[in-house]
Amino acid sequence: MIVRTFDQMINRFPKLLDYSIILIVLIAALWPLVSGAAVMKWDAMDLYLPWKHFITDGLSHNQLPLWNPYINAGFSQMGDPGSWYPISWIIGWAFGGYGMGSLHFEYLLHLFIAGIGFYLLGKTHGWVRTACLIGGIGYMFSGIMIGNAQHVGWVVSAAWLPWVLNYFKVLLTTPVHKVSVKLALVLFLMLSGGYPGMFIVTAYILIIYFIIHLWKKYRSKDTVLLKKQVIVFSIGAVLFLALSLVVLISSFDMSSLITRGVGLNDRTDIWNTLNGSLTPQAMVSYIYPLATTINDQSFWGADFSMTNCYFGVIALLGILTALLNRDSSRNIRFYALIGLLFLGISLGQDLPLRKLTTYLPFMDLFRFPSLFRLFALFFFLLSAGYAFNFILNSEKSKKYFAFILLGASALFGVISLILFFDVELWKYKQIVSIGWLHFMRQATIKELIFLQSGILLLLTAGLWVFIRSRKLTFGFGVVLFLIIEAVSFTRMNAHATILYDRSLKDASVGMDNLPEGYPIPSVRDPLTTYNDVHQSQHFIQLWKNLSMYLKTPTYDGISPYAYHTTAKAVETGEFDKIIKYPIVFFADQLTDESYIDSSSIDTLSFQELRIASFNPNEIAIETSDNSTGKYLVYVQNHHPSWNVYIDAKEAEVVLVSETFMAVEIPKGKHTIEYKFEPTTIVQASYVSLSALVLIILFLFIPFLKSLKKAEQKKQ
């Protein structure tokens, strides 16, 4: 009875089975992360986690993520698009606070979203289930998802990319309002949660695609459909702008203040657009992703997080099979060529393509040409999906594929034989005797390629035997061996670019005893008292941006956003001079350059003032009857949205020492309030949040009604 019911469910809901396969494969490939046996590493822990913790903790205290005082003497957190990503907000709320477990869940969730998204995109393209699974699994474990796991924003962008292109393609054939609403929503999620550069590239893809489509429809004189499409796309565009209003306004607000916002085309420093290019050596990762687990910059010519281009060897062999067949779909060649174009752009320092793109609007605002490999592998997988869709419907092509498999097996055998005489075989025994991690520390790139060649030899030969035996279907065999390939290669690569070998429980030491609310900052201790080195004693795994957890304003931390004014203060030495004092203090004189005269600073200011209240967006200071200080200095970076009030009356914020703030105050007892009041952005947040709620209601109310009708029919 149970088996029959299960079979009926699978036959009625084939997607449910396929989604379950994708989920099970994900769990198997990254079980250490799922089980809590390991934790994520690098930027995911040092940058993404503390920011998300700060944002979601602030929301729990009814504070919008506007200003962050706990890093680099303060910066406008609202300018980072990820501050407005609702998925992170929901995860933080669901977990009762954003911690390491929340981070792991968000990363795994977006891998699953990526796999399902590509699967559905394949369905929209008319692929059979096998081809959809190949695309979904291949994309979920591709080089961006695994090699750049620490760059969670990149993973988020990649996760929503297939959803964006899927709804966009559906609208081109079926222009209905509901789909335009979905397109607006996923575009907003990609913008708010992902890396801006990837969104900009995606926008160009959509614009070019839409212009070509309009031209074709115009030439075919299908004006009725064309008008309907323009209307529906216009509605989607308006909804997207409403959803993204707070992200766009706050991002442009920050871009005028930070050193990265001026464009990179003519820059020669580390932010140059060609910094982080893919190198020709990285092409080996299309077949041997394990080779990229060795951070040998002398060989790769770049950090190894920028080198992994893998999307599946079996998928690659499928493309090769179809390209060698003249009868195959032209879509295979078309998408493969687009993939090659993006691959060429990613080779920024070796080809001129990336330099040319910088002359397009907004394309000079981000670095890392290697990010274009996301679009390369994306279109290669589209080509692979069409290839397997063709192969699965042609007995002749199945034979070609078997022949290609045999040739690949022979090639991997030859490579293994050549490398056999150039590797130290005793190291492989350590995989069993000591452990995989020890082997990884000892192995060279050649030894990793030798190991993976042997695995690929077994996989390709095994799949060839499987196909020739005809005991089970061709499609089942391809998917089965693709899963084995994806899971084994991901597990091998995971400890290099995703996992740190420490349990979630051990790594979370210090995270379970954090201060509630917003502690009042000290008026005695210099800002230099609180830094990552000093505060690392509270934690086991964490070592950067720690003040966001302990809620102590500080001068240090890592961030991609640096204010022009801060850079100038560092250059003149004013920054280092002022951070030696508490967060608020009195000074009597300013120099002609509006620098604080050190000799006029009252080192006993704490005797004449106290902080009455504090939260990230405002501070209230009370001065005593004996107060004689002329200027009250607030050691936070200046921003145009900072306002100051003396006894509830607005006063002038004085920019001092290049980047900090002061206000001229009368003698005696007063209440001085510094308030961060970006009115336009707060109003935009209300618009965006209202649009988000309305869209969710619009999409889910019909779904709930359909469920209710189904229940009524059963009764």
Side-chain angles (χ1 to χ4, degrees), residues 63-336:
Q63 295 289 322
L64 285 173
L66 303 175
W67 186 261
N68 186 339
Y70 302 125
I71 178 176
N72 299 336
F75 87 107
S76 48
Q77 181 76 58
M78 63 187 185
D80 178 69
S83 301
W84 306 100
Y85 187 47
I87 303 297
S88 298
W89 291 14
I90 294 169
I91 291 172
W93 169 79
F95 278 76
Y98 202 100
M100 293 183 193
S102 312
L103 171 65
H104 296 174
F105 179 80
E106 183 163 355
Y107 171 65
L108 293 168
L109 173 65
H110 283 91
L111 291 189
F112 184 64
I113 289 172
I116 297 299
F118 208 99
Y119 176 95
L120 291 174
L121 180 62
K123 283 290 183 184
T124 300
H125 279 268
W127 301 349
V128 296
R129 287 174 63 192
T130 299
C132 292
L133 279 171
I134 290 169
I137 294 171
Y139 189 63
M140 187 165 62
F141 298 118
S142 61
I144 285 284
M145 303 298 190
I146 304 304
N148 290 98
Q150 63 166 319
H151 306 125
V152 183
W154 289 35
V155 175
V156 172
S157 291
W160 291 115
L161 177 61
W163 293 84
V164 168
L165 293 181
N166 180 47
Y167 289 134
F168 185 83
K169 182 173 176 59
V170 171
L171 274 182
L172 292 179
T173 55
T174 313
V176 294
H177 298 304
K178 189 174 182 179
V179 179
S180 69
V181 172
K182 291 179 180 179
L183 176 59
L185 179 60
V186 294
L187 272 170
F188 162 68
L189 293 173
M190 186 181 190
L191 173 65
S192 61
Y195 185 69
M198 290 178 172
F199 179 84
I200 292 169
V201 177
T202 302
Y204 270 104
I205 292 172
L206 297 183
I207 291 169
I208 293 170
Y209 200 168
F210 190 59
I211 290 173
I212 294 173
H213 175 77
L214 287 178
W215 175 247
K216 287 181 178 179
K217 289 297 178 183
Y218 176 77
R219 293 192 65 183
S220 66
K221 302 186 184 303
D222 192 355
T223 56
V224 175
L225 179 61
L226 184 60
K227 287 179 181 178
K228 191 173 182 180
Q229 286 176 332
V230 170
I231 291 171
V232 171
F233 273 107
S234 298
I235 292 171
V238 171
L239 288 173
F240 166 72
L241 289 174
L243 283 167
S244 306
L245 192 63
V246 65
V247 177
L248 295 171
I249 293 177
S250 57
S251 295
F252 280 110
D253 171 84
M254 179 180 274
S255 68
S256 63
L257 303 174
I258 61 174
T259 56
R260 292 181 62 182
V262 296
L264 309 173
N265 193 28
D266 298 322
R267 298 283 298 280
T268 57
D269 61 13
I270 61 172
W271 302 111
N272 190 276
T273 47
L274 300 185
N275 179 262
S277 294
L278 192 68
T279 59
Q281 303 91 295
M283 298 303 103
V284 72
S285 65
Y286 277 105
I287 299 174
Y288 300 113
L290 189 59
T292 64
T293 60
I294 300 296
N295 194 16
D296 185 353
Q297 294 202 26
S298 63
F299 176 79
W300 297 116
D303 185 274
F304 71 153
S305 67
M306 299 293 165
T307 56
N308 195 337
C309 302
Y310 172 78
F311 63 88
V313 175
I314 290 175
L316 190 61
L317 295 177
I319 296 174
L320 181 60
T321 301
L323 290 177
L324 293 175
N325 193 319
R326 294 181 180 178
D327 298 327
S328 62
S329 168
R330 65 179 183 179
N331 284 324
I332 301 168
R333 290 179 284 276
F334 174 71
Y335 287 119

Side-chain angles (χ1 to χ4, degrees), residues 20-32:
S20 299
I21 290 172
I22 292 172
L23 179 60
I24 291 169
V25 172
L26 173 61
I27 292 171
L30 291 172
W31 177 249

Side-chain angles (χ1 to χ4, degrees), residues 37 57 64 93 102 152-153 167 170 186 207 252 360 373 394 419 438 451 468 475 508 585 657 689:
D57 180 75
L64 285 173
W93 169 79
S102 312
V152 183
Y167 289 134
V170 171
V186 294
I207 291 169
F252 280 110
L360 296 171
R373 79 187 194 279
S394 169
L419 291 175
H438 179 78
L451 174 62
R468 297 289 293 178
S508 297
F585 61 85
S657 294
L689 291 172

